[in-house]
């Protein structure tokens, strides 16, 4: 499959514990044509239909292979100065075999090989089911949620939790800290369509 920075960004959702290689890797599911990352607490799934090669089998990309592929991509692009010329850079590929994964540039098929991770990848299909039984969906600006978490936890965002209290699709969402009810914030759902009304609690201009 072809490596792109989409996989690097997805890898941010993978685990970082060195003794659990299966969680520090990215799962390539060729049947569903998706890439999956999980640290045991969250799961992220992206479409990689355009990156897969015909008849490619499912496999795990180990963390060292992801780092190597990203470095090769950066090095290859560095050969060209202008943004337009960077499009001439050769693509980076990751190819799996029975016991290893190889990272290479262009069509050389010769590159750096890495052992496949040990252990089984989480059964993400069991958790990620069809959106049945959910009453409605809310679209949030994730950057705003991070800012609110930062404010409620005095600048300590890492590994801090907040509770979301949702009434319906249009009402403001209450973001609270369970340990102290005096600390809370309001977050307005994003208006996906421009013609949606302004939230009732914001004054009209």
């Amino acid at each position: 499959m072809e490596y792109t920075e989409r996989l690097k960004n997805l890898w941010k959702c993978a685990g970082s514990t060195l003794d659990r290689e299966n969680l520090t890797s990215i799962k390539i599911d060729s049947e569903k044509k998706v890439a999956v990352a999980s640290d045991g607490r969250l799961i992220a799934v992206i479409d990689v239909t355009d990156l897969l090669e015909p008849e490619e089998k499912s496999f795990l990309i180990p963390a060292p292979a992801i780092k190597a592929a990203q470095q090769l991509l950066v090095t290859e692009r560095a050969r060209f100065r202008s943004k337009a010329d960077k499009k001439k850079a050769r693509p980076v590929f990751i190819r799996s075999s029975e016991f290893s994964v190889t990272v290479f540039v262009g069509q050389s098929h010769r590159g750096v090989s890495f052992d496949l991770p040990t252990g089984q990848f989480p059964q993400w299909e069991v958790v990620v089911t069809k959106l049945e039984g959910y009453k409605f969906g809310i679209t949030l600006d994730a950057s705003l949620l991070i800012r609110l978490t930062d404010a409620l936890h005095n600048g300590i965002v890492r590994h801090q939790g907040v509770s979301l209290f949702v009434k319906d699709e249009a009402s403001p969402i209450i973001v609270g800290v369970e340990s102290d009810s005096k600390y809370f914030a309001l977050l307005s759902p994003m208006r996906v369509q421009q013609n949606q009304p302004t939230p009732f609690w914001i004054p009209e201009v």
Side-chain angles (χ1 to χ4, degrees):
M1 71 175 298
E2 183 178 351
Y3 173 86
T4 72
E5 290 186 333
R6 268 188 284 164
L7 294 176
K8 182 197 73 171
N9 294 328
L10 175 67
W11 187 51
K12 295 176 183 178
C13 295
S16 58
T17 306
L18 297 180
D19 60 346
R20 301 185 68 183
E21 290 183 325
N22 56 330
L23 290 183
T24 62
S25 308
I26 288 179
K27 168 75 172 183
I28 304 300
D29 190 322
S30 59
E31 181 179 345
K32 296 180 175 62
K33 301 186 184 304
V34 297
V36 188
S38 174
D39 65 355
R41 295 168 298 178
L42 54 82
I43 298 174
V45 184
I46 65 171
D47 183 8
V48 290
T49 303
D50 58 320
L51 304 181
L52 293 173
E53 296 182 30
E55 307 301 325
E56 190 156 27
K57 296 181 179 179
S58 299
F59 66 101
L60 288 180
I61 306 177
I66 298 170
K67 293 179 181 179
Q70 179 62 26
Q71 185 57 52
L72 283 176
L73 186 64
V74 171
T75 302
E76 178 65 18
R77 288 178 177 175
R79 297 173 53 236
F80 305 92
R81 292 188 177 182
S82 68
K83 188 175 181 180
D85 287 341
K86 289 184 184 297
K87 296 180 180 179
K88 301 177 183 177
R90 294 172 298 172
V92 175
F93 293 96
I94 299 177
R95 184 153 296 165
S96 68
S97 62
E98 186 177 358
F99 300 106
S100 65
V101 168
T102 302
V103 179
F104 59 93
V105 178
Q107 300 301 322
S108 64
H109 295 263
R110 291 183 296 178
V112 184
S113 295
F114 302 88
D115 293 335
L116 289 175
T118 58
Q120 296 295 320
F121 194 78
Q123 295 182 328
W124 64 276
E125 305 97 326
V126 178
V127 181
V128 183
T129 59
K130 294 181 179 179
L131 296 178
E132 297 176 353
Y134 291 84
K135 295 181 179 179
F136 51 82
I138 297 289
T139 302
L140 300 177
D141 185 331
S143 65
L144 295 182
L145 185 57
I146 293 175
R147 285 167 55 190
L148 291 177
T149 305
D150 180 77
L152 295 175
H153 285 288
N154 296 319
I156 305 175
V157 178
R158 186 174 178 82
H159 300 312
Q160 297 294 334
V162 292
S163 299
L164 302 182
F165 300 93
V166 182
K167 182 179 180 181
D168 52 44
E169 300 96 321
S171 298
I173 300 164
I174 298 178
V175 183
V177 179
E178 293 183 357
S179 60
D180 194 335
S181 60
K182 295 180 181 179
Y183 286 78
F184 71 94
L186 296 179
L187 177 61
S188 175
M190 291 182 65
R191 288 179 291 168
V192 180
Q193 300 177 359
Q194 293 297 325
N195 60 355
Q196 287 183 306
T198 301
F200 70 87
W201 50 285
I202 297 181
E204 295 286 351
V205 178

